[in-house]
Amino acid sequence: MANIRQSPGKTFVVEHLDPELEEWSSLEYFTIASESHDAGARFLLSSVPASLKLPANLQQAKGLNIETRGIEEIYASSKDKVCLLDPAASKDLSPEDGDTFDIFLFGGILGDDPPRDRTSELRKKGYQGRRLGPVQMTTDTAVRVTRIVVQDRVPVDKIPYIDHPELRINKNESTEMPFRYVKGSDGQPIMPQGMVDLIKKDSEKGLGDLL
Ligand code: SAM
């Protein structure tokens, strides 16, 4: 059997940067929580306003830890152990970064096209940054890829991806997702459960608004 080196469980922190919690984010956070739980990693959703009511299914997610405090307060004494996953960083994440950092930080923001660089809100706090390649990922994909790199020790450019997949909305319409996803064992992009239906619902609503 191949001798696969594994790093011990890490902490993945998503700093929620929106005042509201969109259904898209809720599905992403649910997926991050359950995958982290299954992979022996810790997931912290930080900076959640006390007034924000989380949907019941998210509250029940295995592996979800909620924090009203922000990253700076929670890890005030271990800033050098925090790595910000930053699309604008000059260096890509490597398996060896798993030996340097214990905490991996992500922006809890929905992707946008073109990207508005809201990750800069975390960058200005001064954490060391690493990129996950040149293409924008959804937050759950970014956490998944980071876990594969630092825990399973697979280089970022050796992970199979699908860029900008096209989703069929109905027999006449399709929509292109402007993100990079990890390719699953079924050859399809890995997305949170319920995401394809939500995208279809939102796209049809968008089309309906035009009529
Ligand atoms: N358009 C966005 C922005 O305004 O910065 C990107 C948001 S992305 C959906 C959410 C988070 O995933 C980012 O804040 C970052 O932590 C992580 N992320 C996504 N793609 C990445 C990449 N290629 N390299 C590093 N981090 C990435």
Side-chain angles (χ1 to χ4, degrees), residues 84-87 105-112 114-120 122 130-139 142 179:
L84 170 65
L85 282 302
D86 181 355
L105 171 64
F106 306 80
I109 31 188
L110 286 178
D112 39 24
R116 279 186 295 152
D117 191 24
R118 290 193 52 208
T119 309
S120 59
L122 297 172
R130 295 285 187 272
R131 199 182 69 150
L132 298 168
V135 185
Q136 177 178 208
M137 298 172 178
T138 58
T139 308
F179 308 113

Side-chain angles (χ1 to χ4, degrees), residues 62-131:
K62 267 191 201 147
L64 179 70
N65 299 285
I66 305 279
E67 262 288 352
T68 51
R69 293 177 301 164
I71 183 82
E72 283 176 298
E73 198 182 335
I74 305 169
Y75 294 108
S77 58
S78 41
K79 198 170 172 181
D80 56 334
K81 289 287 169 195
V82 178
C83 172
L84 170 65
L85 282 302
D86 181 355
S90 52
K91 205 170 156 191
D92 277 349
L93 185 74
S94 71
E96 293 69 39
D97 285 319
D99 302 328
T100 310
F101 302 107
D102 294 331
I103 301 137
F104 295 88
L105 171 64
F106 306 80
I109 31 188
L110 286 178
D112 39 24
D113 187 32
R116 279 186 295 152
D117 191 24
R118 290 193 52 208
T119 309
S120 59
E121 294 177 38
L122 297 172
R123 188 181 311 131
K124 64 188 178 206
K125 296 180 192 291
Y127 296 108
Q128 292 197 63
R130 295 285 187 272
R131 199 182 69 150

Side-chain angles (χ1 to χ4, degrees), residues 16 18 43 134 139 181:
H16 183 67
D18 284 328
F43 171 46
T139 308
Y181 296 88

Side-chain angles (χ1 to χ4, degrees), residues 170-199:
N170 56 40
K171 65 179 184 350
N172 299 318
E173 309 287 336
S174 62
T175 187
E176 190 186 90
M177 304 305 295
F179 308 113
R180 166 170 281 184
Y181 296 88
V182 175
K183 188 180 192 172
S185 50
D186 59 358
Q188 298 299 311
I190 300 179
M191 289 186 191
Q193 215 181 350
M195 185 59 90
V196 172
D197 288 340
L198 180 61
I199 293 166

